[in-house]
Amino acid sequence: MKLLSFEYQGRASYGLLRGDDEIVDLGALGHASLREAIAAGALPDLARRAAALAASSAAAGTPLRLADVQLLPPIPAPEKIICVGVNYGNRNEEYKDGSAPPAYPSVFPRFPGSFVGHGQALLRPRVSRQLDYEGEIALVIGKRGRHIPAADAWSHVAGLTCCNEGTVRDWVRHGKFNVTQGKNFDASGSMGPWMVTADEFDPAAPLTVTTRVNGEQRQHDTTANLMFPFAELIRYISLWTALEPGDVISTGTPVGAGVRFDPPRYLKPGDVVEVEVPGIGTLSNTVADEPGAAHAQ
């Protein structure tokens, strides 16, 4: 199933995508959001209930279409967004610092307001010209857990989505031991366009992620090259915090971010960034300047 969150005529809701374009609005099923539906264990029954709703909607008139709505991140307000840094093996080599592969994942938090949905503008902040892209695959947690064994990790995944873990590069260097500032500018990243439920994937089969800027491929890799696979990330993170339904884990980006070019190729207004993961879809966003004063040079 493809499940999405959206705004329509000033109302926030969630729904199921049928075919390429038709949305079945599931807001009438008794859960205020997709996060609440996941927490209630409602996902297995959504397809059947959506079919009944679609039949009644068809009888009532024109169905809702993607063009009618503003897409939001699939989980607009998760309790936690945990991001993983330097997780593809060749990315560790990209740093050219001679360091050995890490023993543990590098993790940091992001806030919900730092992400927008598919089709919304990424904002280059007033205080920097170094907005960068990072195409990733994000996991949406479906079941609460602490100390989750790697062998059981997939049973805690509700679904997968695409992520652009947008980064303001000069601000990640403001602190000695953290990158939080540069990773949390409002509307600097995106998720979507929807979440595809975990039952659509073989957890043993690698996935690919590709990032394009204005149609030019910048990143391309497979999860076969992850230093810490999805199951290990869930195991490790759940050792120190309870994973809750609707929590999001963004699993790392391949080589090819703009900062690694010589000279760097940062995003500018008018650019179009696409993150594609076969089996999920393509997340697309344009870039705009944050309204207000002139940007820093």
Side-chain angles (χ1 to χ4, degrees):
M1 288 186 293
K2 293 178 178 177
L3 299 170
L4 46 81
S5 296
F6 62 89
E7 287 185 355
Y8 176 66
Q9 297 183 342
R11 176 180 62 89
S13 189
Y14 72 103
L16 181 147
L17 184 66
R18 286 165 50 96
D20 295 329
D21 190 46
E22 182 181 338
I23 298 172
V24 181
D25 188 345
L26 300 177
L29 295 183
H31 304 292
S33 66
L34 180 54
R35 176 183 168 186
E36 288 192 12
I38 292 170
L43 290 194
D45 198 39
L46 280 185
R48 180 187 64 79
R49 300 184 71 182
L53 280 174
S56 62
S57 297
T62 304
L64 202 58
R65 302 292 183 185
L66 281 173
D68 300 329
V69 306
Q70 175 65 70
L71 290 178
L72 304 172
I75 309 295
E79 180 184 281
K80 292 185 288 295
I81 303 172
I82 298 171
C83 300
V84 180
V86 195
N87 195 24
Y88 285 81
N90 47 9
R91 268 217 78 203
N92 191 60
E93 298 167 5
E94 186 181 45
Y95 278 79
K96 298 179 180 178
D97 59 3
S99 65
Y104 305 103
S106 297
V107 296
F108 52 89
R110 282 193 72 139
F111 311 139
S114 69
F115 288 106
V116 297
H118 172 81
Q120 292 185 278
L122 303 170
L123 296 183
R124 185 175 69 163
R126 300 180 195 175
V127 295
S128 176
R129 288 183 178 268
Q130 296 188 18
L131 177 63
D132 205 351
Y133 55 86
E134 293 192 9
E136 309 197 10
I137 298 168
L139 310 175
V140 178
I141 297 300
K143 183 172 65 174
R144 188 182 194 276
R146 270 296 300 280
H147 301 281
I148 300 169
D152 295 337
W154 194 250
S155 70
H156 288 261
V157 176
L160 285 72
T161 190
C162 303
C163 176
N164 175 9
E165 209 263 291
T167 301
V168 180
R169 293 294 177 191
D170 46 347
W171 280 68
V172 299
R173 296 187 291 273
H174 278 196
K176 184 175 182 180
F177 295 117
N178 70 81
V179 298
T180 304
Q181 304 94 310
K183 293 289 190 174
N184 278 287
F185 275 83
D186 288 351
S188 58
S190 58
M191 285 195 195
W194 37 70
M195 178 191 88
V196 178
T197 51
D199 60 344
E200 299 285 337
F201 299 92
D202 175 358
L207 296 171
T208 59
V209 56
T210 303
T211 308
R212 294 181 292 270
V213 179
N214 301 327
E216 177 191 6
Q217 182 174 298
R218 298 280 186 87
Q219 297 179 293
H220 181 77
D221 211 334
T222 167
T223 56
N225 292 325
L226 289 177
M227 292 186 288
F228 301 100
F230 296 164
E232 174 58 17
L233 293 177
I234 291 171
R235 185 201 70 82
Y236 176 77
I237 293 168
S238 71
L239 293 177
W240 49 270
T241 188
L243 290 172
E244 301 287 351
D247 284 354
V248 176
I249 300 173
S250 197
T251 60
T253 197
V255 300
V259 70
R260 296 298 166 188
F261 288 86
D262 185 14
R265 302 174 71 180
Y266 297 121
L267 297 172
K268 58 187 185 299
D271 285 346
V272 177
V273 185
E274 296 175 300
V275 179
E276 181 179 7
V277 179
I280 301 176
T282 301
L283 168 67
S284 180
N285 302 87
T286 56
V287 179
D289 273 337
E290 180 185 10
H295 280 62
Q297 296 297 323

